[in-house]
Amino acid sequence: MANLPLTLPELSPPLPPSWYEAPFVIRSEPASLPGASLDALEHLSASWRAHAEFYPRGARSAAASALRLAPRRSLRRLRQGDASGAYALLPVPPRRWPQLLAAAGVEEPPFVAEARRRPEEECASAVGHANVSARFERELRWRLLIVGGGPGAGMHLHADHPPASAWHVQLRGRKAWTLCPPNQTRGGGCLEATLGPRDQLFFPRSWRHATATLDAGSASASRLLVTPPDAPLFGAAVQDHCTRGLALSRGSYEVLCAALAPCLRRLMAGQWTQDGDSQRADSARILA
């Protein structure tokens, strides 16, 4: 019995000051309300430009390979009869994020919406000033719409990169989650939960997680969060991403990485601020 996964703890707002130290679930009320329709999600995605990662046979195996499809096309493929095991990850443009959540009647809770209190505001201010916010979020898969074709679709056990915390909200159907502490696979210490429409999940950086949809057309939205403990490792990972990108294709990364440079230095040094004013000034000098 000691090796069986435990149930994820459930919290209710207001959250404690150290809310970002361990995974938790927030249940919706009332739980019986329906989620977003697939028609609504397909309509919303019509204007999204970034390609989706479409896994025709699902992503329950680490060896699964993805196709790059237009967002709307990927959702249409998921609704075909032969796509029951398929799984799709659609990057959500920053400006379309509120519309996506509204389609399911949800909104970000305060601990997610108040980005000015987290280290990520350093970089958000920088890329906003340089007008490369969408590029930044697309590169890091910052906000995603995740949809499964049928029961059993999902993702293999993995940890996110870059190393950051994550918030998920179920938009439609149900999804089963398994979360394991850093550097641990299945067994003792792992946690399980099933999310229904409007249920929320948070987990800290480097927690490994696997998912399995329980209903046809199960859909969720996710976004990264950079909490105070995440800042140094997140900064180092994004700096490495820029270094490799500049080496491969300098022209397409130059503006983005120049805008990020001051904030990444502060994140790695643990010197992030809560208002982002100094970051905006630094990026303006670099880009001038």
Side-chain angles (χ1 to χ4, degrees):
M1 294 293 290
N3 291 326
L4 292 178
L6 305 173
T7 301
L8 266 160
E10 298 182 9
L11 300 181
S12 299
L15 301 180
S18 58
W19 58 267
Y20 47 76
E21 294 180 352
F24 61 86
V25 168
I26 298 178
R27 295 294 181 187
S28 66
E29 295 182 5
S32 60
L33 288 175
S37 71
L38 287 178
D39 287 337
L41 297 179
E42 186 176 315
H43 176 74
L44 283 173
S45 70
S47 63
W48 301 356
R49 296 182 179 180
H51 284 89
E53 295 177 36
F54 182 83
Y55 295 86
R57 296 178 178 82
R60 300 294 299 277
S61 166
S65 58
L67 304 175
R68 294 180 73 249
L69 299 179
R72 195 169 191 177
R73 184 183 176 194
S74 68
L75 290 180
R76 287 178 175 174
R77 289 267 311 255
L78 285 170
R79 303 178 75 169
Q80 296 174 357
D82 61 348
S84 61
Y87 203 60
L89 284 67
L90 291 72
V92 182
R95 294 182 180 180
R96 304 301 182 188
W97 181 250
Q99 296 176 350
L100 174 62
L101 298 184
V106 300
E107 58 184 22
E108 291 182 343
F111 75 91
V112 175
E114 295 174 359
R116 293 177 66 86
R117 298 187 179 184
R118 295 194 305 273
E120 68 198 61
E121 178 61 16
E122 290 276 312
C123 295
S125 298
V127 297
H129 181 88
N131 199 30
V132 287
S133 295
R135 171 70 184 272
F136 172 72
E137 295 206 0
R138 184 171 66 250
E139 288 280 336
L140 303 183
R141 300 166 78 188
W142 197 271
R143 305 170 203 257
L144 294 174
L145 168 62
I146 306 168
V147 187
M155 185 66 69
H156 62 92
L157 190 69
H158 68 286
D160 291 336
H161 188 81
S165 302
W167 174 74
H168 291 254
V169 59
Q170 192 70 15
L171 304 179
R172 170 187 168 84
R174 296 169 299 152
K175 180 183 287 187
W177 286 79
T178 299
L179 286 91
C180 299
N183 302 317
Q184 181 174 327
T185 56
R186 314 275 183 170
C190 295
L191 304 171
E192 291 185 340
T194 295
L195 302 188
R198 298 181 177 81
D199 287 343
Q200 304 172 37
L201 167 68
F202 168 83
F203 56 86
R205 162 181 52 84
S206 300
W207 274 69
R208 299 166 64 83
H209 47 284
T211 60
T213 60
L214 302 180
D215 303 296
S218 173
S220 61
S222 74
R223 61 157 294 171
L224 299 182
L225 306 174
V226 182
T227 65
D230 300 339
L233 285 177
F234 177 83
V238 176
Q239 184 181 64
D240 179 66
H241 181 82
C242 272
T243 300
R244 288 183 286 109
L246 286 167
L248 293 173
S249 178
R250 182 172 179 81
S252 63
Y253 278 84
E254 195 166 25
V255 174
L256 174 64
C257 294
L260 286 172
C263 90
L264 297 180
R265 286 196 297 269
R266 275 197 287 275
L267 293 188
M268 289 186 287
Q271 297 173 347
W272 59 279
T273 61
Q274 290 195 8
D275 59 14
D277 288 341
S278 59
Q279 171 60 40
R280 280 189 286 271
D282 281 355
S283 63
R285 284 193 294 270
I286 288 176
L287 295 169

